């Protein structure tokens, strides 16, 4: 499955199948949360949170791709990511785009 953030694929004609999305709500691990709190005292990257968000983006992307594959898509154009805080200690990551079929 080809994923692109642009609205078209140069040299490729396609028909639009529809919007696809994948979402996940990921919570922080207590141990990582504690260590991140300690890290804020000295500064620097909060690697535990970075890893958590990378994993969440991968899950959301896979769910978006699965939805596109179920529609018979060959690619997803206009791929975007969003995120929000759902509650204390949990974040939502959303991946979305337009599923297309090559013609």
């Amino acid at each position: 499955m080809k994923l692109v953030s642009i609205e078209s694929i140069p040299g490729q004609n396609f028909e639009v199948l529809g919007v696809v999305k994948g979402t996940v709500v990921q919570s922080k691990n207590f141990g990582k949360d504690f260590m991140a709190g300690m890290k804020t005292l000295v500064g620097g990257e909060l690697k535990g949170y970075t890893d958590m968000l990378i994993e969440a983006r991968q899950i959301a992307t896979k769910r978006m791709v699965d939805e596109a594959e179920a529609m018979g898509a060959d690619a997803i154009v206009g791929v975007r990511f969003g995120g929000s805080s759902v509650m204390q200690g949990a974040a939502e990551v959303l991946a979305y785009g337009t599923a297309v079929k090559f013609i």
Side-chain angles (χ1 to χ4, degrees):
M1 176 77 55
K2 180 174 264 194
L3 306 177
V4 296
S5 61
I6 55 179
E7 300 302 318
S8 64
I9 301 170
Q12 186 68 60
N13 293 322
F14 54 79
E15 66 176 285
V16 173
L17 300 178
V19 174
V20 288
K21 76 257 168 244
T23 189
V24 63
V25 176
Q26 193 90 349
S27 67
K28 297 182 278 190
N29 173 295
F30 176 75
K32 288 181 181 179
D33 193 35
F34 177 76
M35 294 308 292
M38 301 304 287
K39 182 73 170 184
T40 61
L41 297 174
V42 296
E45 180 184 6
L46 302 176
K47 184 138 173 52
Y49 287 138
T50 299
D51 293 342
M52 179 191 78
L53 289 172
I54 288 169
E55 180 183 2
R57 275 191 297 275
Q58 289 171 341
I59 293 168
T61 300
K62 181 178 182 338
R63 290 177 179 172
M64 176 184 64
V65 168
D66 289 347
E67 188 174 317
E69 287 175 343
M71 296 170 78
D74 295 313
I76 304 172
V77 298
V79 173
R80 302 286 185 268
F81 292 94
S84 64
S85 177
V86 176
M87 59 182 278
Q88 179 93 18
E92 175 197 31
V93 172
L94 168 69
Y96 61 98
T98 303
V100 299
K101 182 145 189 77
F102 299 149
I103 52 176

